[in-house]
Amino acid sequence: MDMCTLLKSIFIFFACAACALAESGKAELSLFDSDNGKGVKLSVGGKEVLSSDGLWKIGIGWKDESPEMYFEANASSEKTLPDGSLVLEGSIKTPDGVWKMKDVYERISPSAFKCSRRAVFEGKNGSESAVLVNSFEVSSRPERCLLPSLYYYGNPSGVKNAKIAVPGPSEKLLVEEHRLPMPFAMAEIESEGKIYGAAIHTIPSPVPFSKQPDTWWTLGFENSGKGKIKLTSSSGPLSCNGQDGAVKSGQRKLEIFKNACMSVPDGAVIEKTFFLQAYPVDRRGDAAGEAVAQSLEIFKPYYAEDLPSREKIVSKKLEFAKSRWIEKGEACGFEMYPKRSKKRHLVFGWCGQAAAVPLAFQCFSKTPEDLDKVQKTLDFLSSAKFSNRGFTVVYDLEKGVWQDQFTKAGDPDWLSQGQGMFNMALNIEYAKKEKKLNTKKWEDFLLQASEFHSRRILSPEWKTVSTSEAFFAAPLAKAHRLFGKEEFKSAALKVADYYASRHLSMDEPYWGGTLDARCEDKEGAWGALQAFMAAYELSGDKKYLDYAKHASDIVLSYTMVWDVPFNGSRLGDAGFKSRGWTAVSPQNNHLDVYGVLYTPVVKKLGKLLKRPEYEKLAEVMYRSCGQLMDENGSQGEQIQQTNFGQFFKNAPLQSLRGGYAEQWTVLWITAHFLVAAAEEEMPN
């Protein structure tokens, strides 16, 4: 054999091996025989990952907010269409009549298949309390499941700290589709030393022939009774924390959504579109990534032409920020609360973000008057008092004193200190470039804060409660660049390594990034994402980019990828588009604008990972959250896309959806828009 032939043979061998390896990660849909027909299963590399537990299921009767009995059937006929689609047909006999069933399956990606399911009821007197169930069995446990924004691998931290405030592991968790920013239920599976992911995605829709107005299909999981769970899409029934019919209607409140079933007339046609997904997972805790990517591919939430422009948002927010400016004695800055409030505070981090707004005035305004506000604000904030707890984060304008602690949670406000340091560092970087302001006091403050926290973090005794201290990594990385101190770099990398070791497995999901919700939340995941990206840019080590990808999968799972329809409501009146907004946490099930803050990092990650959809999504996130601004640029925080209300405690359950709590107008709602826009203007 000559050298040319040998090289060609080697090339063919490795090409075939690569193809075989690629094929082993591809989901395959096949049929299996059962006692009453054919079922459906998805396999990966020959391993069954997901299978139908009775392909079609109808519940009838109604007792204690759940069907009294179920009837099942599998397919009795099959055919393959020229385009490769698989068509299955069959029927289910119930005491009320016969349901004619048909599924059409088609591949939409290497890991996923679309199913268009059609049910036609043939009866003589209707079916008074009917439920359609689409369920698929996986070898997993509730503690390894994920429902976007609601349930992260059992919500262990929320269950420990918030109890009834969050959904916990139970026999069944079924929630309204409009409660889910990405409508899927996912399970992580470990079998024979390998890890797989399985998910069911849906196209959200109200239930036809429903007994209650605004009843929607529900999605979640339930125990199969065989040591497995079923990923389930159902036409109405709900369940939370062991109580059928229960929905989370407030921070610490469950209510019953009654009669979530159908009264189906003879001849009714009901259709539902869902997607089945199965895929290999490289590392324990990584299963969310493929499900999040598939949800983005299904909904493609990238259209932005019907949303406010970035220029309009920045202009309105700048003007609104000026309404919060105050100068009182030696104190000056931007107030957290409206001037009508009894509370008069300047606040680092959390809801105040007092050091963030000046960056936007530097970047976008640049008038002598506004630059004077910047100088005075940051000079005053730099006078915050230091103690053995770091620096004080709140200045009480009425009492004229700095306070050690803002919340009653018992934390020394590390989160607020980290965010405040980051904003101060951004201001220093921009001002040093422009050379129009004196940064001496700001630098002295940041240097002292960085020395304090790097010393604390580098101590062998350093321990943290939640993911909230991840917010120190980015400012310490910037402090290293500004001041050249190696201990700042070491502390920033230690923070990133520590949180990677703690959270990548998802045995403990990211949590505690807000000071008022002691549970899993997007802010905790964002803190980790920011830390990992800072560590990557500081060190160049690609392991941190891998960590950032993991955190971004969780962060983005809180992002709305679809537009929820609203009837007869504030949001309906406004023609509100929910795509791009972010859900808060398993405890607070409303939407807010927080996600605009991390859009610069999402765009940057998109470039690094060659994921252009991240860049498009980030632009939609920013612009969509500019909806609902009033003529002054003011917005409230809580958007009620589901049956949940924090400010409407005595309102009937079914009056909550479509509401908008505009009275909570703390400064972060303005500051996050401004600092995100300014970050994109800053040189790398």
Side-chain angles (χ1 to χ4, degrees), residues 384-392 404 414 417 448 452 455:
K385 308 304 180 186
F386 279 79
S387 69
N388 61 359
R389 297 160 63 89
F391 60 91
T392 50
D404 284 337
W414 299 135
Q417 292 188 49
Q448 186 176 357
F452 175 88
R455 185 167 57 249

Side-chain angles (χ1 to χ4, degrees), residues 524-552:
W526 155 235
L529 171 57
Q530 187 189 51
F532 298 150
M533 285 294 286
Y536 173 67
E537 292 173 342
L538 190 61
S539 69
D541 191 332
K542 289 189 176 180
K543 74 176 184 180
Y544 295 116
L545 188 59
D546 175 49
Y547 300 166
K549 170 63 169 59
H550 182 277
S552 75

Side-chain angles (χ1 to χ4, degrees), residues 140-160:
S140 187
R141 311 185 311 275
E143 293 85 356
R144 302 302 290 177
C145 289
L146 187 153
L147 271 68
S149 84
L150 293 180
Y151 187 86
Y152 289 86
Y153 288 71
N155 288 338
S157 298
V159 169
K160 178 181 178 181

Side-chain angles (χ1 to χ4, degrees), residues 104-121:
V104 180
Y105 295 89
E106 58 179 310
R107 182 184 291 278
I108 62 164
S109 75
S111 66
F113 291 83
K114 175 183 177 181
C115 176
S116 302
R117 177 161 288 182
R118 175 184 172 94
V120 180
F121 179 59

Side-chain angles (χ1 to χ4, degrees), residues 92-105:
I92 306 176
K93 294 181 180 179
T94 76
D96 294 338
V98 175
W99 290 81
K100 298 290 188 182
M101 306 297 297
K102 181 170 75 172
D103 285 359
V104 180
Y105 295 89

Side-chain angles (χ1 to χ4, degrees), residues 52 77 85 87 116 138 161 224 249 321 340 355 459 490 509 547 553 569 589 593 610 614 623:
S52 58
S77 70
S85 298
V87 181
S116 302
V138 296
N161 295 292
S224 69
S249 62
R340 65 178 181 274
S459 166
S490 298
Y547 300 166
D553 291 335
S569 67
N589 294 171
V593 305
K610 295 181 172 56
Y614 282 19
R623 291 176 60 179

Side-chain angles (χ1 to χ4, degrees), residues 57-329:
K57 183 181 293 186
I58 302 292
I60 65 169
W62 194 252
K63 184 178 181 181
D64 297 329
E65 307 310 326
S66 184
E68 287 190 276
M69 61 189 83
Y70 288 98
F71 298 86
E72 298 180 4
N74 284 309
S76 57
S77 70
E78 62 176 284
K79 64 178 178 181
T80 302
L81 302 180
D83 66 358
S85 298
L86 175 66
V87 181
L88 302 177
E89 295 187 83
S91 61
I92 306 176
K93 294 181 180 179
T94 76
D96 294 338
V98 175
W99 290 81
K100 298 290 188 182
M101 306 297 297
K102 181 170 75 172
D103 285 359
V104 180
Y105 295 89
E106 58 179 310
R107 182 184 291 278
I108 62 164
S109 75
S111 66
F113 291 83
K114 175 183 177 181
C115 176
S116 302
R117 177 161 288 182
R118 175 184 172 94
V120 180
F121 179 59
E122 297 180 353
K124 294 183 179 179
N125 297 298
S127 186
E128 181 55 27
S129 298
V131 170
L132 274 67
V133 180
N134 312 314
S135 64
F136 296 85
E137 196 172 61
V138 296
S139 299
S140 187
R141 311 185 311 275
E143 293 85 356
R144 302 302 290 177
C145 289
L146 187 153
L147 271 68
S149 84
L150 293 180
Y151 187 86
Y152 289 86
Y153 288 71
N155 288 338
S157 298
V159 169
K160 178 181 178 181
N161 295 292
K163 298 181 172 58
I164 194 175
V166 302
S170 58
E171 292 295 305
K172 193 187 314 182
L173 176 59
L174 293 171
V175 302
E176 315 95 307
E177 288 172 323
H178 48 64
R179 203 170 285 256
L180 295 165
M182 291 185 171
F184 69 77
M186 183 216 83
E188 185 170 287
I189 302 152
E190 297 184 30
S191 177
E192 300 174 350
K194 294 184 178 180
I195 305 172
Y196 304 89
I200 179 170
H201 303 252
T202 63
I203 300 295
S205 59
V207 173
F209 314 114
S210 59
K211 286 190 171 183
Q212 287 282 11
D214 204 35
T215 299
W216 280 61
W217 284 76
T218 59
L219 190 59
F221 63 83
E222 51 191 321
N223 278 328
S224 69
K226 308 172 189 176
K228 300 180 178 182
I229 63 165
K230 294 183 286 187
L231 301 177
T232 299
S233 162
S234 187
S235 65
L238 295 138
S239 187
C240 184
N241 287 347
Q243 189 171 2
D244 283 339
V247 300
K248 187 171 158 49
S249 62
Q251 273 194 317
R252 298 184 177 277
K253 186 177 181 182
L254 295 180
E255 287 188 66
I256 301 299
F257 191 110
K258 296 182 178 180
N259 294 318
C261 56
M262 301 180 293
S263 179
V264 182
D266 301 333
V269 178
I270 300 173
E271 296 179 325
K272 185 64 175 175
T273 299
F274 59 87
F275 306 81
L276 302 177
Q277 187 182 20
Y279 47 91
V281 175
D282 291 333
R283 177 178 58 202
R284 178 180 169 86
D286 257 3
E290 286 298 317
V292 167
Q294 188 63 64
S295 189
L296 288 171
E297 180 61 23
I298 290 169
F299 291 95
K300 295 182 172 64
Y302 310 126
Y303 184 71
E305 294 308 303
D306 57 347
L307 302 173
S309 70
R310 180 177 285 261
E311 294 73 21
K312 178 181 178 180
I313 294 169
V314 171
S315 175
K316 285 283 190 182
K317 293 299 182 183
L318 278 171
E319 286 305 307
F320 182 75
K322 290 178 183 179
S323 73
R324 293 289 176 89
W325 166 259
I326 186 170
E327 193 166 5
K328 186 175 182 181

Side-chain angles (χ1 to χ4, degrees), residues 5 102 256 326 476 562 613:
T5 304
K102 181 170 75 172
I256 301 299
I326 186 170
L476 287 170
W562 61 292
E613 68 271 23

